[in-house]
Amino acid sequence: MRTRAALAVLLWLFLCCTVHAGTPALPPASYNVAWDSPSTDAWDSMPLSGRLGAGANVWVQEGSLWLYLAHNGAYDEDGRLLKLGCLRLTPADGSLSNLASFRQELDLASGSILIEASSKNGRSLRLKLWFSGENLVIQSLTEAASALVLHFGTWRDRTREGLLIDMGKRTHTVRADHVLLRDQALLWFHRNADYPSVLESEIAKQAFAVGQVHNPAQNNLFGGALLCDQPLSSGTVTPVSWQKWEGSAWELTAAPAKSHTVVVALRAQQDADPEKWISETRPLLDATRLKAAADTERERWAEFWSRSHIVLNPQAGPSDKPWLVGRNYQLFRYMLACNRGGRLPLLFNGGIFTTDNFNRIKGHNNDEVGRAPLGPSTPDLRHWLFCGFMAQNQRWLGWPTLLAGDTDLLEPSNAFYRMHAGSAAARARGLGAEGVVYPEPIQVWGLSWWATPTGQCGAEHLKFAFAMGLENAWMALHGHATLGKDLRPDIGWIKDSVRFFDSYYRRETKLLTGSEYGPDGKLRLFPANSIELLIDAENPIEVVSALRRLCDALTKLEPTLVSASEKAYFGELLARLPELPKGVRNGVPVLLPATSHKKEYNLWELPELYAAWPYRLHSVTRPGTAAIAQNTWDQLPPKRAEKVTRDYSWMPVAVNMAALGNTAEAARRIVDKLSNTSAPQARFPAFFGPGHDWVPDHNWGGSGMVGLQEMLLAADPYGDGKIYLLPAWPREWDVDFKLHAPQETTIEARLVGGKLVSLKVTPESRRKDLVICLQPPAQ
């Protein structure tokens, strides 16, 4: 008996082994999320991140382990990101029922979830869930041999009309998946080629040739294959009513054993052969290969965590809000890690970790965005599903990766604009211009939502909202300067994004006035939108700021990227650009959203402070320039201030306050943003939202990450070459951090008791460029 018990302990230690001990770069063990009771439903699930876009929601409920399986490449024929299905594992011995004890823990260091449970009938169960790339591995251990009942469930068992998967109350037709029993395996997949696509009708609305549209969902095939190291016997297929959806479940039973290893291949590939998923995955059932895969994943996680970290008040705990800010920063970065090596950006409104709507949302602006209680839904549900990649929201999936050193997580954001440069060029030509232009609400295939024949968005507040193409170009330039990312694949669309604004607005101005330029000889940017705030605006500040910074940066790049003649062109254009719109309010100088406008629309927007961040024309990185931006914030008209001063969802207040060096306000805002204590909606602490969007709100987490980073380090890669350290940091908060700065620099520092007790700069030659901004102690 003792021998068997000892072997069981050793096996469990093997299952749980991590490189946590003795590796300071790993997150503190106190940041692990642990629950001592099962969950109510999927809303209270825990994320499990794989790589290449794969992941799962994990929870224990009603005697079973449940998983929602997901892949960020699972776009259907109509351009909608869908879940792969539901997996339910039930120990036949009842070890997850009538519980005497329970613990479910997310171990950040190894990227795995560990579950220990014992029932009042004396049965015990240990589970470890982790990913080997896109392959989900579930290892179980019991004291006595027991069968394991597996159910694969789907709401796409047949084509269903009017299915609710959009919080905008729009219903959709969702078409059926294929589910097949194979020799000792279950295979399921959705094949886009089986069904007609709305893309053809979308293209027909616009002046685009089909060849100019890049469709990453073309011939897409997504699904999975389930295998087990114990013999599987198939059972019945039964109709089910699970969570908030109805569908069918396929039953398999794994033969009784003390240990089971279940491997589930999660895939989303173009022109794939799903039968190969089984042969690709079966080697993981071999113990030697499985151990090798586990070792590889531990090394990958160790490398990921070694890139950067932020730990606040490390001696505190969950009762301390700054500690929560640091913990939740790391949890959200863990969630983003599922897309390491992914080919498409995660969606701002839930990423891959969405669940059914259980009508438990309270607080935030729930009523203002029209979220009335809804009936049955599916885990595919997300608000703003129909809008696709709303660019102003999506930016928060790219910006946090820069200071974190996550080049592989930045790449999908860059690649998205790169892959759609062809249709962006066609759109520009249709508007009589050179270059490329991207709409704000951009679909997975690069076309605008609610498209007009010119390829613009038909909504009046978005028709001329082209600024985010420029911001993504600016982000790509940061990736090159900060992380050393190869700019050659992207430099074409970056330069062409600028050329569009020059050629288009010279043309428009000539049509309106007979001259290509305004009376002052400057480029006149009209008609335009100012983000979503202004309609028929002239010289919107975020566009002027972007063009000024991009033109200047392009003149400074290597000649292999920008030729001498091109540098001359961008230099001349820079001289022709209008000045930032400025005015006076209540007797003090302020920034204006535009020189003029005809109509206001969305009062949530604050375009004026784009001049502070990300463009840093009035910020701590230009000493003495931030006062006008602070005045702008302080003197906002009341009807706008009521909206823009909130902290949830995509709203960048914490980022802006950090960029202005406003320490007190930045600290207050980052606690509101990342501690998730004011109105938490889900059990997992980094399932932010919904705010304007959906749970887990990724533009909430992303904007919070950037705000915290900017409080610690601000640097302009195309500015003065300085690194501004602790520009908006409250000295009463202890912090240990490692972040990335321009010129492929890393900064590692530790602040304790208001004193900088350690500082490492790599390369050392960059130490001379540090400007330490920590405010003196209060008198």
Side-chain angles (χ1 to χ4, degrees), residues 410-430:
L410 173 62
E411 168 58 17
S413 293
N414 295 162
F416 191 75
Y417 282 79
R418 183 191 316 141
M419 74 174 64
H420 294 311
S423 58
R427 184 179 298 106
R429 289 193 297 272

Side-chain angles (χ1 to χ4, degrees), residues 321-340:
K321 288 186 177 180
W323 184 92
L324 290 174
V325 167
R327 192 270 310 269
N328 292 349
Y329 172 96
Q330 300 284 49
L331 292 180
F332 189 71
R333 184 164 170 251
Y334 166 80
M335 291 166 57
L336 298 182
C338 72
N339 208 30
R340 290 168 292 165

Side-chain angles (χ1 to χ4, degrees), residues 56-77:
N57 298 67
V58 179
W59 73 103
V60 172
Q61 176 189 346
E62 297 172 351
S64 298
L65 171 69
W66 296 71
L67 300 97
Y68 278 153
L69 309 174
H71 198 293
N72 195 49
Y75 280 86
D76 76 352
E77 60 280 355

